[in-house]
Structures are given as C-alpha cells and as structure tokens.
Amino acid sequence: MSNEKEPLLVVKDLKKYFHTKSGELKAVDGVSFSINRGETLGLVGESGCGKSTVGRAIIRLHEPTSGQVLMNGKNILEYKSKEEMKHLRQSMQIVFQDPYSSLNPRMNTFDLIADPARVNHLFSSEKELEDAVYDMMDTVGLTNRFAGAFPHEMDGGSRQRIGIARALILKPEFIVMDEPVSALDVSVQAQVLNLMDELQKEFKLTYLFISHDLSVVRHISDWVAVMYLGQIVEMSRYDVLFDNPMHPYTKALLSAIPIPKYGLQRERIYLKGDVPSPLNPPAGCRFAGRVPWIPKEAHEEHPELREVEPDHWVRCTCYQYKS
Ligand SMILES: Nc1ncnc2c1ncn2[C@@H]1O[C@H](COP(=O)(O)OP(=O)(O)OP(=O)(O)O)[C@@H](O)[C@H]1O
Ligand SMILES: [Mg+2]
C-alpha cells in the first residue's frame, strides 16, 4: 500500500487564547484537521480570523493554550527535551508573507540560507555547508551570482525564494506557508506557486498553505478549510468545496473571486454587519449576525463542525440536524 495517504499531521481541538488588556482573546478556538503526507491544506478566511495563529501554534512559535498536534503520531506539544525541540525546529518550518521584513538586511543570500543550517549544526565542515547552500540556491531557482546580494538588491520573488531555501535547507517534512505570495506581483505569484508545487513533489513536503485569497489557494491545495472567528466553518477536498460550498460564509467568499465558474456567474453575496470580536464571540452560531436567513436556533446553539457528506464538514445550524 502506498503511504502517500497517511496523515502526517493531525491537529485536534487546538486553542490559542491571548491574554490582552481587554480580556481573553480567543484567536483560535477549537480547530481540528489532518493533512496527508505530501498534500496541502489551504486555510482561508478574512484578516484576523486566526489563520496565522493556527500556523504558529502548530509549530509552537506561539505555545498553544490546549489541544494536540500529532506529527507522525507523536504529540509534539509534549516535546520538552533539547533533542525533541531540535527535531521539531528542523522538521517543521514556516515561510512568511513578507520576505523583506523576515530576512536580516545585513546578511547576503549565501549567509541567509546558511544561517539556519549553522544554528542547527547541520553540517560538519564549511565545505559541506557551502555545497548544500549552492545546491539549495539551484533548487529554488537562484543563480550563483545572487550569493553575495543583499535582500534590498533583489526583487520580491527572489527574496521569497530565499525564504523558501531557508526553510528547505533543514529538510523539513512540514511547512507552514503563511501568505507566501500575497506581497508579490501577480505575475511573480504564479512562478513562486509553481516552485512550491515542484518542491512539494520533489521532497514529498506537506504544506499548510494560509491565504485570505481563495483563488490562490485553489492552485495549490488538495483540501481547503475555511476559517471564521477562530474556528473552521467548512472543510473538504478543494474541488468539492469550490463546486458545492455549503456554508453561507464560503458561498460569500466564493462569489467574490474573479473566476467565471465560481465567482462571476454566481450572484455576489454581500454579508451584513461586521465580524464579531474574538474577545467576546457570540454564544450561538458565530456567523448568525451576518446573514438574513437564519433559523432561530442559530442564536442559541453553537453548531458543531459536522461531516454532512463523506469528507465534507460544515459548521452551520442549517446542517446540524440533517441525517
Ligand atoms: N500576539 C498576539 N497578542 C494578542 N492578540 C493577537 C496576537 N496575535 C494575533 N492576535 C489576535 O488574534 C486574532 C487572530 O490573528 P491572526 O494574525 O491569527 O489572524 P489572520 O487570520 O492571520 O489575519 P491576517 O489575514 O490579517 O494575517 C486577531 O484578533 C489578532 O488581533
Ligand atoms: Mg495572518
């Protein structure tokens, strides 16, 4: 049996609450999903819904408040020893949205890519390190002449290639891509997305791909999860979610994308009101205030994420009681 369909990552009831001056902010409030080895889960939703916090909590850049994150069956949130943390730091990586602000401006390309390998004592000699860095530059499409160049001397696409190389040199199994192409020109976006696709196949990488833009997610995702106010409201294989969206929030997001099949031919759905505050989320359905056609139970009961057809989960009062 091929092991390609085994989940590499299983996230169970992940919560991340921030203690702020105004009270407890529920940035991520019970998120569960799994990602098969070599596949991509696209995580979409509006600004502030908790996407980055999910990505950071999984790799423990933010310590989660509760939940489980199983990688190859081991709960990495229980890792404590130096050895375990080293393994976590190597096997789980993140690529950030804005490579300009995430790269040290005083380091050149070579040193930026060598840095994570040096910190993790990955190579025993400088020669080995040098070979690996040049090899990695080649892998991500940076020619040797860039080795001495500094971030400000390079364009956005090349800078993001450095960000990807920095992640890849540690030979991770899992990478959080947090809006990796959002800061790039549209023409460059496609090149970088293609690169990520090729790298995924070549190195059997597993991605959590975060974006506020469904049309970007569609190119790279096997599965898509839609987030709203700290929770997943719909999740399925990408084609099912695009062809048969069930949650009114997914429908509204899809109606806004400039792809004739999904967006323009459907009637544009405008939501009313604003996203409620994660400091004080509604007790019932968190989406209830945004649409005019909800049943009265929605104000009272908080709907569960429910599998309404095989591999298609929806958190909506309208689907709670359907068998
Ligand atoms: N370190 C922090 N301390 C307090 N609150 C935070 C912190 N980081 C994020 N938040 C809050 O958590 C919520 C989720 O933020 P997050 O950055 O995860 O959203 P996002 O979906 O990634 O948004 P964007 O699309 O703008 O990147 C927001 O209300 C945000 O203000
Ligand atoms: Mg974010």
Side-chain angles (χ1 to χ4, degrees):
M1 195 181 97
S2 146
N3 69 353
E4 280 189 359
K5 295 291 170 195
E6 279 171 21
L8 174 88
L9 189 85
V10 179
V11 175
K12 290 186 186 169
D13 204 19
L14 186 72
K15 295 185 181 167
K16 176 63 191 178
Y17 296 171
F18 290 108
H19 297 286
T20 71
K21 280 188 199 135
S22 324
E24 196 171 54
L25 188 147
K26 297 178 173 173
V28 175
D29 202 12
V31 161
S32 303
F33 57 74
S34 58
I35 315 180
N36 292 331
R37 184 182 296 277
E39 292 196 346
T40 300
L41 174 73
L43 187 62
V44 290
E46 283 165 287
S47 182
C49 69
K51 306 180 296 295
S52 295
T53 308
V54 168
R56 286 163 194 233
I58 289 174
I59 63 169
R60 292 181 64 181
L61 278 183
H62 287 320
E63 269 317 312
T65 305
S66 63
Q68 288 188 355
V69 177
L70 308 176
M71 172 120 144
N72 291 315
K74 293 201 185 89
N75 186 2
I76 58 127
L77 301 189
E78 286 170 356
Y79 280 12
K80 283 193 185 76
S81 71
K82 227 172 151 184
E83 276 308 299
E84 286 173 327
M85 289 310 282
K86 187 176 174 210
H87 175 253
L88 190 158
R89 295 281 166 246
Q90 259 181 249
S91 57
M92 305 178 100
Q93 287 293 306
I94 185 163
V95 172
F96 296 100
Q97 169 173 354
D98 182 0
Y100 203 53
S101 61
S102 61
L103 298 178
N104 183 338
R106 285 180 294 278
M107 281 189 175
N108 64 25
T109 300
F110 181 93
D111 286 328
L112 282 166
I113 299 173
D115 185 50
R118 285 194 173 117
V119 170
N120 286 282
H121 307 292
L122 224 56
F123 301 102
S124 45
S125 72
E126 215 26 54
K127 175 78 178 78
E128 260 182 67
L129 173 71
E130 195 174 303
D131 289 347
V133 171
Y134 281 111
D135 209 31
M136 190 46 69
M137 285 179 63
D138 189 42
T139 302
V140 300
L142 289 167
T143 55
N144 282 2
R145 69 188 168 82
F146 277 121
F150 290 87
H152 71 270
E153 298 169 318
M154 302 166 79
D155 59 39
S158 304
R159 285 200 289 260
Q160 195 54 298
R161 288 174 198 267
I162 298 178
I164 295 168
R166 278 168 63 80
L168 273 189
I169 194 140
L170 295 175
K171 303 211 180 324
E173 287 183 271
F174 171 70
I175 307 183
V176 176
M177 300 281 187
D178 192 353
E179 306 258 10
V181 300
S182 305
L184 306 178
D185 292 343
V186 174
S187 57
V188 184
Q189 283 190 1
Q191 293 167 13
V192 175
L193 284 171
N194 284 342
L195 172 68
M196 288 172 179
D197 208 23
E198 286 163 18
L199 295 172
Q200 178 167 47
K201 292 194 183 92
E202 188 175 344
F203 299 106
K204 281 229 174 313
L205 296 166
T206 305
Y207 293 157
L208 174 68
F209 189 98
I210 295 171
S211 176
H212 60 277
D213 186 344
L214 266 172
S215 33
V216 169
V217 161
R218 178 171 157 263
H219 291 294
I220 189 138
S221 302
D222 300 282
W223 294 79
V224 177
V226 179
M227 256 189 108
Y228 182 81
L229 202 59
Q231 298 185 323
I232 290 174
V233 294
E234 184 160 5
M235 177 163 65
S236 194
R237 292 205 75 89
Y238 87 95
D239 46 347
V240 173
L241 191 116
F242 275 77
D243 289 335
N244 184 23
M246 290 185 174
H247 197 284
Y249 183 56
T250 315
K251 289 180 186 173
L253 289 180
L254 276 173
S255 80
I257 65 173
I259 300 171
K261 190 176 166 202
Y262 302 111
L264 299 181
Q265 279 173 12
R266 286 188 182 143
E267 198 182 335
R268 179 79 194 263
I269 300 169
Y270 294 95
L271 301 172
K272 62 181 190 127
D274 294 315
V275 183
S277 165
L279 282 165
N280 188 19
C285 169
R286 294 187 175 183
F287 195 68
R290 309 294 310 278
V291 281
W293 61 85
I294 50 140
K296 77 171 179 16
E297 294 87 353
H299 288 296
E300 292 147 18
E301 281 174 39
H302 183 67
E304 298 294 317
L305 190 66
R306 192 163 183 268
E307 192 171 13
V308 293
E309 60 182 13
D311 291 342
H312 191 170
W313 287 267
V314 184
R315 185 192 294 279
C316 178
T317 311
C318 300
Y319 294 98
Q320 280 304 287
Y321 308 108
K322 288 191 178 163
S323 55

